[in-house]
Amino acid sequence: MKYISIGAVVTEGTEYRVTVCRGNNKFTLAGEQAAVWLNGRKGFANAEKPSEQKILEQLMRMGLALKSDDFSIAEYRTLTQCTIVPADRKYPYWGISGLERTVLQWLREAGLVLSMAEVIYLIDRKVPLQPEFLGSHNAQRLVERIYTKDTIFDNILENQMERSKARDQTVKAILNLLRKKRIVLL
C-alpha cells in the first residue's frame, strides 16, 4: 500500500521514537509506528507487510498519513490533500536550482499558503516571480492572477492542473524538496 506521511516533527528522536505535530495535536510514535511514519516522511513509501499496513491504517485515522495509488496522477491527487509549508532553514536555497528553486521561492515568498494545484498553475503559466505577486501585501493580486472566471469554482483548478503539462515535473520538484527537507507536508 503506497502512502505519504504528513505532519511536522516536534522532537527528533531515534528511529524508534518521534513526536509529530499535526494541527493542534501532538502524537508520540514509537517502535514500528514511528518507523512506518518516518519511511513516508521524505516521499511516497510502501507498506508491504500486513503489520505495516495495519499501522498505516492507524496513522491515517490519526491524520498523519495519506494513502495513494500506484500511478503518477495519484501522487498529484494525494498532494492536493496536503498543506505544503516551507521548512525553517538558515539557507533554504543552498544546494537546489532550476524548478525546485522556483517552486520553493513561490512557497516561501508568495505571502500565502499555496496549494499543489496553485503551484502547478504558476509553473504552467510561467507566472514571473516578481515583486507585484510576492509578500502578504500582494497576496490578493496573486490570488486574482490564479483564480479567474475559468478557475474560481470548486475543484476546477485542481481538475485543470491534473491535465497540465507541468504537473509531473512540479510534483517531482515538490517530492525532491520534501526529500531535501526544504518543505513539510501538513
Side-chain angles (χ1 to χ4, degrees):
M1 198 178 323
K2 189 173 181 179
Y3 71 98
I4 196 162
S5 299
I6 52 179
V9 174
V10 176
T11 307
E12 190 82 51
T14 65
E15 65 182 69
Y16 300 107
R17 187 172 183 83
V18 65
T19 303
V20 178
C21 177
R22 174 112 199 282
N24 292 328
N25 301 312
K26 284 186 184 177
F27 303 92
T28 299
L29 308 176
E32 198 173 2
Q33 196 177 43
V36 170
W37 187 85
L38 287 168
N39 283 342
R41 178 183 181 196
K42 294 183 183 176
F44 288 93
N46 285 307
E48 295 172 3
K49 297 188 280 186
S51 61
E52 291 174 338
Q53 291 176 1
K54 184 177 179 184
I55 289 169
L56 176 58
E57 294 293 333
Q58 292 171 349
L59 292 173
M60 288 168 49
R61 283 192 299 275
M62 296 163 74
L64 297 178
L66 294 170
K67 191 168 79 169
S68 181
D69 290 323
D70 276 332
F71 44 94
S72 67
I73 202 166
E75 290 182 353
Y76 164 75
R77 289 177 182 162
T78 302
L79 290 171
T80 62
Q81 299 173 55
C82 301
T83 302
I84 306 166
V85 180
D88 248 354
R89 291 188 61 109
K90 191 171 185 177
Y91 303 106
Y93 303 109
W94 187 76
I96 63 169
S97 61
L99 183 58
E100 290 175 22
R101 183 182 196 86
T102 302
V103 168
L104 186 58
Q105 284 178 296
W106 274 119
L107 292 170
R108 292 182 63 84
E109 299 173 27
L112 66 145
V113 177
L114 296 171
S115 71
M116 186 71 219
E118 291 166 340
V119 172
I120 292 172
Y121 178 90
L122 294 168
I123 301 303
D124 184 68
R125 299 303 197 282
K126 296 176 176 49
V127 177
L129 273 157
Q130 294 179 339
E132 71 244 28
F133 297 124
L134 304 177
S136 57
H137 56 284
N138 290 320
Q140 184 62 37
R141 184 175 288 151
L142 182 60
V143 168
E144 290 171 0
R145 176 69 165 89
I146 296 170
Y147 291 98
T148 65
K149 62 182 169 105
D150 298 326
T151 60
I152 195 69
F153 299 106
D154 286 344
N155 296 325
I156 294 293
L157 184 66
E158 285 79 8
N159 291 332
Q160 287 177 351
M161 294 304 104
E162 187 172 286
R163 294 181 302 279
S164 165
K165 288 182 167 92
R167 184 196 73 216
D168 289 342
Q169 66 183 4
T170 309
V171 166
K172 183 179 178 184
I174 289 286
L175 293 173
N176 285 339
L177 290 169
L178 182 64
R179 185 177 46 79
K180 294 174 182 178
K181 297 183 179 179
R182 297 306 205 287
I183 60 172
V184 176
L185 299 179
L186 299 178

